[in-house]
Amino acid sequence: MMETLITVERARQILASHSFKWNIEEVELEFAQGRILAENIFALNDDPAFDNSSIDGWAVQSSDLPESRIEIGKIFAGSQPITTPLKPREIYRIMTGAPIPPGSDALVMIEDGINGQHRKEYIRRQGENISIGELALSAGDIITPACCALAATIGHTTLPVRSKLRIAIIPTGDELTRLGEPLQPGQIYDSNSVALASLIRKAGAEPIIIKPTADDSKSLHSILDQCAKDVDLILTSGGVSMGEKDYIKSSLLDRDAAIFWKILMRPGGPPLFGYWNDTPLFGLPGNPVSSQTVFYLLIVPWISHPDLFYRKVTVKMEDKLRGAPNRLCLRRIHITSTNEGLTGHSLTHQGSGNVRSLVLNNALSLIPPNTDVDVGDFLEALWLIV
Ligand code: AMP
Ligand code: MG
């Protein structure tokens, strides 16, 4: 039975239960940034791999008197480790990263002079950061530059990542003109395809933009049949609302292939989720703000990782905002970080066709159903990561 007029949480729950079977790819560390880790990663060696110096100075023995020290040689980073233990009073000049000679248990900084105060904590001890066999990175983590560095430090050359989902974008609408072609009366440019392709790339997946499809069910079905064979997910734009030519909706409903339709959110009320010949299909509304908002709220947690897209924050509003009856309301607001904390402004008119409102603002409000926001109220919002 198709569910309808469901909450955002319920829609997320349903999508999560239709998860993808990601293949695993090994990616070289220099290209792994931004990908999602597919397996847990353990340390193949200790870090540090050996006791070494964190300073330029001397390797000394804490039991010796500082005035009695005698320098007997130098140890550099990359030097073969010394094997003969130090005799009393003997010390080495040592550089950062060089192995600690046996018998030394403290270091003196060059700035403090040869008779200076020794400190044991200047020695970086083998395995103090992570030891061999220990869990270093967890499956599902976003791979950051620091993750790549840690993986290299502990002996890895590649990381297993989720393979990129192939996602078709099908813009539908008789009014759509391809970019670069002259606009005829009554026509608009297809802007959703480029927005969605950018979002899909940011999500770590591979977009395949299909040319705009006219509002007739025959051409729509033939492109859907083709895409269903080729991709992991079909994203359509437009044609899911109550219009007479909203064929995405009517085609899925006629086939009894819709799992949910209509979400209690504004903008972005009419999303549709179902299958076209065994391939998941998500029908986004055509209005530019709606399609992106639905992508942020529903597609991102399903196919990717919210941390790549936004941070949930609380802001103090400096403008009034209207909520919406019975539904979560996602106004576009502009968050500024001030000495008093995060403040939110509402800079533009809020029409769901006004894509400029997503350029001039940087966040989506999460106004609970049936709530208006006053100046001075605290409000949760998703602060979009550029
Ligand atoms: P629909 O969801 O098909 O009823 O379309 C809603 C609104 O979004 C209409 O004003 C459409 O012209 C507009 N629209 C639909 N598809 C696109 C698109 N690909 N790019 C920009 N606007 C669109
Ligand atoms: Mg349409």
Side-chain angles (χ1 to χ4, degrees):
M1 264 298 275
M2 182 186 81
E3 294 187 41
T4 187
L5 287 172
I6 57 176
T7 62
V8 168
E9 290 71 41
R10 175 68 191 140
R12 283 185 176 165
Q13 217 175 40
I14 294 173
L15 292 171
S17 69
H18 292 261
S19 69
F20 296 93
K21 287 175 204 69
W22 275 279
N23 293 320
I24 298 179
E25 254 173 67
E26 287 291 331
V27 176
E28 286 184 36
L29 295 182
E30 66 172 301
F31 300 113
Q33 128 76 21
R35 303 293 295 270
I36 296 184
L37 196 63
E39 291 170 353
N40 291 339
I41 298 298
F42 299 90
L44 302 177
N45 54 251
D46 290 331
D47 173 43
F50 53 91
D51 290 356
N52 70 85
S53 176
S54 68
I55 55 159
D56 293 316
W58 290 273
V60 304
Q61 308 176 65
S62 59
S63 50
D64 285 339
L65 291 173
E67 314 72 71
S68 70
R69 292 171 184 153
I70 305 165
E71 184 181 312
I72 60 162
K74 293 188 193 328
I75 316 174
F76 294 90
S79 293
Q80 275 295 85
I82 308 270
T83 49
T84 326
L86 291 177
K87 298 195 196 69
R89 303 175 57 200
E90 289 182 345
I91 67 169
Y92 276 95
R93 182 80 171 79
I94 194 167
M95 318 302 153
T96 306
I100 304 294
S104 167
D105 64 345
L107 300 172
V108 175
M109 269 178 116
I110 189 97
E111 291 86 340
D112 293 339
I114 191 165
N115 304 125
Q117 172 70 44
H118 68 256
R119 290 190 205 284
K120 295 189 173 183
E121 63 275 16
Y122 287 160
I123 299 180
R124 301 193 282 216
R125 292 288 176 196
Q126 179 171 350
E128 72 180 7
N129 299 328
I130 189 166
S131 49
I132 188 165
E134 205 179 317
L135 179 67
L137 302 170
S138 301
D141 284 355
I142 299 169
I143 301 170
T144 62
C147 294
C148 299
L150 177 60
T153 304
I154 57 173
H156 294 269
T157 52
T158 61
L159 283 174
V161 302
R162 288 182 185 170
S163 62
K164 292 189 177 189
L165 294 177
R166 286 166 50 82
I167 303 180
I169 301 165
I170 308 180
T172 71
D174 289 336
E175 74 278 36
L176 299 181
T177 300
R178 292 177 82 167
L179 311 189
E181 288 172 15
L183 269 189
Q184 302 301 328
Q187 301 280 301
I188 61 167
Y189 285 121
D190 164 27
S191 66
N192 285 349
S193 292
V194 286
L196 294 171
S198 312
L199 288 164
I200 288 168
R201 284 211 180 84
K202 198 175 166 81
E206 182 190 336
I208 298 145
I209 300 180
I210 310 295
K211 72 173 170 37
T213 304
D215 284 322
D216 82 86
S217 52
K218 205 155 152 253
S219 44
L220 184 63
H221 290 190
S222 93
I223 192 70
L224 286 173
D225 285 343
Q226 185 57 46
C227 287
K229 284 193 219 130
D230 295 343
V231 300
D232 301 302
L233 168 64
I234 300 170
L235 278 190
T236 59
S237 129
V240 289
S241 198
M242 305 296 282
E244 281 182 22
K245 284 188 163 192
D246 284 342
Y247 287 120
I248 301 274
K249 177 208 64 186
S250 52
S251 301
L252 263 88
L253 264 56
D254 289 351
R255 288 179 158 212
D256 214 8
I259 292 166
F260 67 68
W261 177 42
K262 293 187 185 169
I263 314 273
L264 293 169
M265 64 186 280
R266 177 177 293 165
L272 175 81
F273 171 60
Y275 280 81
W276 192 267
N277 303 343
D278 298 334
T279 299
L281 179 153
F282 196 104
L284 294 162
N287 271 311
V289 174
S290 312
S291 63
Q292 291 184 52
T293 307
V294 173
F295 192 100
Y296 281 120
L297 260 77
L298 296 180
I299 309 287
V300 162
W302 185 33
I303 68 166
S304 183
H305 205 303
D307 289 355
L308 288 172
F309 286 85
Y310 38 75
R311 295 265 181 274
K312 196 173 190 175
V313 294
T314 301
V315 301
K316 192 172 181 189
M317 282 306 299
E318 303 208 331
D319 291 309
K320 289 183 174 193
L321 283 176
R322 279 229 326 276
N326 302 325
R327 58 204 68 213
L328 180 70
C329 187
L330 300 129
R331 302 286 181 197
R332 276 118 282 145
I333 60 172
H334 193 273
I335 296 180
T336 313
S337 180
T338 71
N339 288 341
E340 283 80 53
L342 301 179
T343 57
H345 285 276
S346 163
L347 295 181
T348 55
H349 98 81
Q350 298 281 342
S352 59
N354 179 15
V355 76
R356 195 176 182 207
S357 69
L358 276 169
V359 174
L360 298 177
N361 293 291
N362 60 10
L364 299 171
S365 70
L366 297 169
I367 309 175
N370 309 310
T371 310
D372 290 332
V373 179
D374 224 329
V375 174
D377 284 355
F378 286 92
L379 177 66
E380 285 199 318
L382 300 178
W383 196 357
L384 304 178
I385 293 167
V386 285

